[in-house]
Amino acid sequence: MALDRYGRDIHYLRISLTDHCNLRCVYCMPEDMTFQPNAELMQDDELILLVRLFASLGFDKIRLTGGEPTVRGHIVDIVREIALTPGIRSLSMTTNGVLLPKLAQPLAQAGLKRVNISIDTLNPEKFRRLTRWGSLEDVWQGILAAEEAGLTPIKLNAVVVRGYNERDVIDLARLTIERPWQVRFIEMMPFAGATDLQLNQAVTTEQIMEHIEAELGPLHTANGGELDGEARVFQLDGSLGTVGFISTVTQPFCASCTRARLTADGRLRLCLLREGEVDLLTPLRGGASLSDLRQLILDGIWYKPWGHGLAEGLIPLNRVMNQIGG
Ligand code: SAM
Ligand code: SF4
């Protein structure tokens, strides 16, 4: 078991499989983003070795993210290897969905259980503007393919940006009336790469809820008021699905955090919004023993920060979002 000094049992690992992406969302990275050379990223055998090590330390829940995890070479084989790792009981992925029409079925067969798909608007023009060139239809087909492949319950992620999609939350929330999906609205967080937009065009959970309730009626507390992962969950009258809010900025959930992150270049990141990291890949390549690596992980987890420092104006600037994975 990997405990931190505040007594939190850290057992959920989010792995960025690559910093590369086939889109360029305005809130995530600049259009001319320079990606890391592949040689600097964890290779398949290094990744699997680290996954086994984390699993031996009690990590039982893994989410694959990126960049865009589906553009990583051998993604189906990687999923299969992780799914077969003893101790891993939950394996999911956060994806932009573009490649799911082709990959949903093989990924499900390889042992992937669920996907969260990012979709910030149902308007094709606005979708293109937000992602710089993405096709809404591709993502929509990806969502249907994921559902068909049994990667359920389907959760959709939307980041809300003033001047881009703040009114589109209504159509997205409306989806939950007739579909058993969870549509989750994420408060935009500040990182390097797109900091001005992130700081100046953020929309709070409270504002998003107001837009939805004014149009669709009251949002009732669901899930017994318990967090579903990091989301507070609500339901519209008579709906099949739920509406979630991930309010990292205005209502942090740090006290119940059980997460650590592994960046695509093999750094253990203790908090999404703090710069501190422990390099695992360099020692691994330098011949460190499994027990040395194990100790590096346990020491890093022990010193996991209590929470983020956004309220004090501390913005993590050593990484762009796609290198950590959200
Ligand atoms: N490419 C995949 C995707 O878009 O779902 C996975 C990686 S992406 C970095 C993971 C999640 O982070 C997505 O839901 C994305 O919308 C969200 N995200 C990206 N930049 C963000 C930011 N500045 N603030 C909040 N969420 C952000
Ligand atoms: Fe790519 Fe996901 Fe970042 Fe959009 S949010 S640019 S899809 S990594």
Side-chain angles (χ1 to χ4, degrees):
M1 185 189 276
L3 285 177
D4 76 1
R5 65 202 147 128
Y6 303 106
R8 292 175 296 190
D9 172 10
I10 311 304
H11 62 96
Y12 177 9
L13 187 66
R14 295 192 180 205
I15 305 175
S16 172
L17 290 182
T18 174
D19 62 336
H20 296 230
C21 188
N22 44 4
L23 299 180
R24 296 286 184 282
C25 302
V26 292
Y27 47 75
C28 181
M29 58 167 108
E31 186 162 8
D32 59 351
M33 178 75 194
T34 309
F35 297 112
Q36 280 182 271
N38 271 327
E40 288 179 14
L41 307 184
M42 291 181 289
Q43 305 301 298
D44 295 358
D45 55 338
E46 295 166 334
L47 171 69
I48 298 304
L49 183 146
L50 289 174
V51 165
R52 291 190 181 138
L53 202 52
F54 277 97
S56 74
L57 291 169
F59 281 77
D60 58 358
K61 188 173 171 187
I62 289 187
R63 173 171 295 276
L64 303 174
T65 172
E68 175 47 39
T70 57
V71 304
R72 165 117 189 185
H74 315 134
I75 180 65
V76 174
D77 297 329
I78 289 172
V79 163
R80 187 177 303 108
E81 284 290 324
I82 297 178
L84 288 172
T85 303
I88 301 302
R89 58 166 187 88
S90 163
L91 179 58
S92 58
M93 179 182 280
T94 302
T95 167
N96 62 29
V98 170
L99 296 177
L100 284 182
K102 191 177 70 179
L103 281 173
Q105 202 69 49
L107 286 172
Q109 277 163 1
L112 190 71
K113 295 288 180 245
R114 287 179 296 105
V115 283
N116 288 12
I117 301 171
S118 299
I119 182 166
D120 304 319
T121 170
L122 297 180
N123 175 310
E125 283 313 309
K126 290 190 191 176
F127 185 82
R128 184 166 300 114
R129 190 169 165 240
L130 270 159
T131 57
R132 293 207 176 91
W133 57 68
S135 149
L136 179 68
E137 182 57 19
D138 289 349
V139 177
W140 190 256
Q141 291 306 323
I143 296 169
L144 299 182
E147 192 168 45
E148 172 82 25
L151 294 169
T152 53
I154 296 284
K155 294 185 181 177
L156 304 183
N157 288 348
V159 175
V160 189
V161 189
R162 189 176 317 287
Y164 282 83
N165 66 338
E166 72 263 49
R167 301 293 307 171
D168 302 54
V169 299
I170 296 160
D171 284 345
L172 285 165
R174 194 182 277 118
L175 286 175
T176 67
I177 296 175
E178 292 190 349
R179 298 173 195 264
W181 298 348
Q182 183 176 103
V183 174
R184 299 132 49 99
F185 298 103
I186 304 176
E187 286 181 338
M188 186 163 53
M189 297 173 278
F191 291 88
T195 323
D196 281 351
L197 174 128
Q198 290 158 345
L199 287 174
N200 297 321
Q201 286 164 252
V203 183
T204 64
T205 289
E206 202 182 335
Q207 293 163 333
I208 300 167
M209 288 181 101
E210 271 171 25
H211 285 320
I212 295 173
E213 291 194 310
E215 205 65 38
L216 302 178
L219 283 162
H220 306 285
T221 302
N223 205 32
E226 298 285 312
L227 285 179
D228 178 6
E230 61 273 64
R232 289 187 303 132
V233 195
F234 297 83
Q235 216 162 5
L236 292 163
D237 279 327
S239 66
L240 290 179
T242 54
V243 180
F245 295 92
I246 302 180
S247 322
T248 316
V249 181
T250 61
Q251 296 175 54
F253 42 86
C254 306
S256 61
C257 184
T258 57
R259 303 178 187 93
R261 291 173 164 81
L262 188 59
T263 64
D265 56 359
R267 271 68 176 169
L268 172 64
R269 183 152 173 130
L270 285 322
C271 170
L272 175 64
L273 289 156
R274 294 272 186 187
E275 292 187 351
E277 295 176 354
V278 178
D279 183 0
L280 299 177
L281 188 57
T282 308
L284 172 59
R285 288 184 177 175
S289 68
L290 287 183
S291 94
D292 290 344
L293 290 167
R294 195 183 160 90
Q295 202 53 49
L296 277 174
I297 296 171
L298 286 174
D299 290 349
I301 298 288
W302 181 254
Y303 287 106
K304 178 177 160 70
W306 166 251
H308 67 67
L310 292 182
E312 298 94 63
L314 289 174
I315 297 171
L317 293 175
N318 62 339
R319 296 261 186 194
V320 177
M321 179 59 144
N322 64 303
Q323 298 172 315
I324 319 168

